[in-house]
Amino acid sequence: PLLRDLAGPAARRTAAGRDSGRTHPARRLRELTATARADAVLDLVRGVTAAVLGHPSAEAIEPGQPFLELGLDSLTSVELRNALAAETELRLPATIAFDHDSPLALAGHLDTLLGAASAERPQATENSAYTTDTDETIGRLFRRACEERRLREGFDLLQSVARLRPTFGAAAEVPASPTSVRLAKGAEPVHLVCFSSQVALAGVHQYARFASAFRDVRDVTALAVPGFAAGEPLPATEDALLDLLARMVREQVGDAPCALLGSSSGGVLAYATAARLAEEGRPPAGVVLLDTYVPGDDSLGQFEDQLLGGMFEREEGFARMDAARLSAMSWYFNLLGGWRPAPITPPVLLVRAGRPMPGGEQLAPGQWQTGWREADQVVDVPGNHFTMMEDLAGATAEAVDTWLRARPPQ
């Protein structure tokens, strides 16, 4: 508010500003032939993306370039979703730009939805409505359990849903790896590979702000965790999970030197995958843990309410917590609940939040900060568990980059 008069009003393109006498663009799109509609939808996505990112025209948006490389982050992705929903009259999730990671891919998805909406009583729409109702019921019940401090009953519900889902017992049973997105490119020799956390709102999008500091500096890739997307199987065992994650790393980096990084519970996956790669004779150059707690750590237990509350507060801007995401979260908590770190050969950096989560201000740092005996270096950065990867992500990225530059690539 203090700077609003200096900056002037923001230019926004919304459906509300359109002449009410004109035909809504969604209707015009549905009336086009299939070929014409596909071209028109791609033009729409490129135009809206350009507007959200502040470009003067759609010509600045390459159809096949990933959204995150274009500069989209968790906040602008919501603006993109809102604008596209208004233009198409479709109900779109907040993660639409991360589920379909380029303008071309997103346009293809929207074209399919518009085609289904044009048909009379399409089966896809009925299934989507059923899925939405189921997701909302499960999400509402879990939220109520958290609000009433009945966490055990809430997670029992999610675990029951997870047990009904398909699983894989070996990496070979998953021919197509889960989503991976290149977030940044640069000349530095060590490729940074980031693992999504194991919470319901996590995904490759959680590293969008963090990775923006590495553009033109080093390659940064984010890997999705298997089972968090609808239709994906869950890992039946820890071994099956680590074999798949190790394969995903090899697919992304080849023989190039890399470091594995994970924020929050994603650090557990980064550390465990580094151990698996070392067993295979391909250890990473390093492992970075961003405010990661060891499963079962007593320091983490006292902040359960704040962690869950922060997750619900960020749902609109990060990801819709549907049945797949919620049940996967519960499954992983059980699968890795007994995991403990063993010594590994790659060096380990622990980057900790410099401030406690709300409610912990009166505690001494030793009572709320995480600690890993296996860490070779510990660095504290500004912010708390959440903000160190949001508004203060630049400082966190700087600490990581400084450490990586001091490590010779292997």
Side-chain angles (χ1 to χ4, degrees):
L2 294 175
L3 301 178
R4 184 175 294 127
D5 291 338
L6 296 176
R12 292 182 177 270
R13 300 182 183 181
T14 64
R18 189 176 289 106
D19 185 350
S20 60
R22 297 180 181 179
T23 303
H24 194 281
R27 180 177 175 183
R28 293 199 300 270
L29 287 171
R30 294 187 180 100
E31 292 174 347
L32 295 173
T33 64
T35 301
R37 186 180 64 226
D39 293 338
V41 173
L42 179 57
D43 289 342
L44 171 65
V45 173
R46 292 178 68 195
V48 171
T49 303
V52 168
L53 295 178
H55 295 294
S57 74
E59 297 302 316
I61 305 300
E62 292 293 331
Q65 188 173 6
F67 282 117
L68 294 176
E69 288 185 10
L70 289 167
L72 207 72
D73 61 20
S74 55
L75 298 178
T76 50
S77 69
V78 175
E79 290 187 38
L80 177 65
R81 184 277 305 265
N82 292 343
L84 289 175
E87 295 286 336
T88 62
E89 294 186 327
L90 293 171
R91 180 175 181 175
L92 304 174
T95 57
I96 190 74
F98 301 108
D99 297 334
H100 308 278
D101 66 351
S102 72
L104 186 62
L106 177 53
H109 176 66
L110 295 179
D111 183 42
T112 300
L113 294 178
L114 287 167
S118 300
E120 186 176 356
R121 297 182 59 83
Q123 184 64 36
T125 301
E126 294 173 5
N127 289 339
S128 299
Y130 172 78
T131 302
T132 299
D133 291 344
T134 303
D135 290 339
E136 290 182 352
T137 299
I138 293 173
R140 184 168 60 252
L141 289 173
F142 180 66
R143 183 188 290 266
R144 181 189 302 171
C146 293
E147 292 172 348
E148 297 178 358
R149 303 184 65 82
R150 299 166 60 188
L151 295 184
R152 175 169 293 185
E153 290 93 331
F155 277 99
D156 283 347
L157 166 67
L158 301 184
Q159 192 66 7
S160 296
V161 175
R163 291 192 190 99
L164 296 174
R165 296 180 56 185
T167 60
F168 64 92
E173 297 175 20
V174 185
S177 297
T179 301
S180 61
V181 177
R182 184 69 60 89
L183 304 178
K185 293 182 180 179
E188 282 295 312
V190 178
H191 187 148
L192 189 59
V193 180
C194 307
F195 290 75
S196 298
S197 302
Q198 306 153 39
V199 295
L201 53 70
V204 295
H205 53 279
Q206 74 185 97
Y207 293 105
R209 289 197 192 181
F210 171 80
S212 65
F214 292 96
R215 288 173 187 155
D216 300 321
V217 176
R218 72 173 69 248
D219 289 352
V220 180
T221 297
L223 306 181
V225 177
F228 279 79
E232 286 185 352
L234 293 163
T237 64
E238 182 181 317
D239 278 341
L241 170 64
L242 296 179
D243 284 344
L244 178 57
L245 293 177
R247 187 187 82 186
M248 293 167 64
V249 173
R250 294 193 299 269
E251 290 172 348
Q252 295 302 313
V253 305
D255 295 326
C258 71
L260 308 187
L261 175 146
S263 174
S264 191
S265 57
V268 171
L269 298 180
Y271 191 99
T273 303
R276 180 55 53 92
L277 288 169
E279 292 172 4
E280 297 174 354
R282 303 181 56 161
V287 178
V288 181
L289 310 172
L290 301 182
D291 215 43
T292 298
Y293 287 81
V294 177
D297 190 319
D298 291 339
S299 299
L300 183 62
Q302 63 185 322
F303 292 108
E304 277 183 342
D305 290 344
Q306 290 89 336
L307 288 169
L308 289 169
M311 185 174 69
F312 286 122
E313 290 170 4
R314 288 160 173 80
E315 180 177 10
E316 180 65 21
F318 282 83
R320 180 168 170 267
M321 291 191 289
D322 56 20
R325 287 178 171 275
L326 287 168
S327 60
M329 175 179 68
S330 174
W331 183 268
Y332 273 84
F333 285 177
N334 279 274
L335 182 69
L336 300 175
W339 180 88
R340 296 294 181 271
I344 58 175
T345 53
V348 178
L349 169 67
L350 173 62
V351 182
R352 302 187 303 191
R355 299 289 300 170
M357 282 178 280
E361 292 84 359
Q362 305 304 317
L363 299 175
Q367 295 177 285
W368 60 267
Q369 281 188 314
T370 180
W372 284 62
R373 289 175 295 183
E374 295 75 16
D376 299 280
Q377 184 176 345
V378 180
V379 176
D380 291 349
V381 295
N384 62 32
H385 183 80
F386 292 108
T387 60
M388 66 178 281
M389 291 297 288
E390 296 173 348
D391 297 340
L392 301 172
T396 304
E398 182 179 358
V400 173
D401 190 56
T402 300
W403 186 77
L404 290 175
R405 288 175 184 271
R407 312 245 70 79
Q410 299 177 0

